[in-house]
Amino acid sequence: VTIAFSTMEEGEFIIKLIDMLGRIVKSENGKASLGENAYVMNLAGVDKGVYMVILQNKDNISKAKLVVK
């Protein structure tokens, strides 16, 4: 899955994939550049279901729902 986001600052970010029971299924780090960014998370081995994707970049936190079919 490709996660697209924009930022006003360069820096490290963390993306977490969390199941509906609150368990962290995957956690990956990356480095964002100023402006538009795209991060590809490999979902191989992730069970079908509904997940929350949490992107944390410094003090900013974004959340989105992801359905794996």
Side-chain angles (χ1 to χ4, degrees):
V1 65
T2 300
I3 300 161
F5 62 98
S6 62
T7 182
M8 300 297 284
E9 300 178 43
E10 292 182 354
E12 299 286 322
F13 65 86
I14 300 171
I15 294 179
K16 295 179 185 174
L17 186 65
I18 299 177
D19 68 13
M20 291 293 107
L21 297 175
R23 298 177 296 200
I24 298 173
V25 176
K26 289 190 95 150
S27 180
E28 299 181 6
N29 297 331
K31 185 166 174 79
S33 57
L34 182 64
E36 299 296 319
N37 291 270
Y39 183 81
V40 177
M41 179 180 272
N42 185 346
L43 297 180
V46 173
D47 292 335
K48 295 178 183 178
V50 180
Y51 298 88
M52 288 297 298
V53 177
I54 298 177
L55 170 68
Q56 183 173 358
N57 183 0
K58 298 198 180 192
D59 293 334
N60 299 318
I61 298 174
S62 299
K63 298 178 183 179
K65 183 171 79 170
L66 174 69
V67 178
V68 177
K69 295 182 179 184

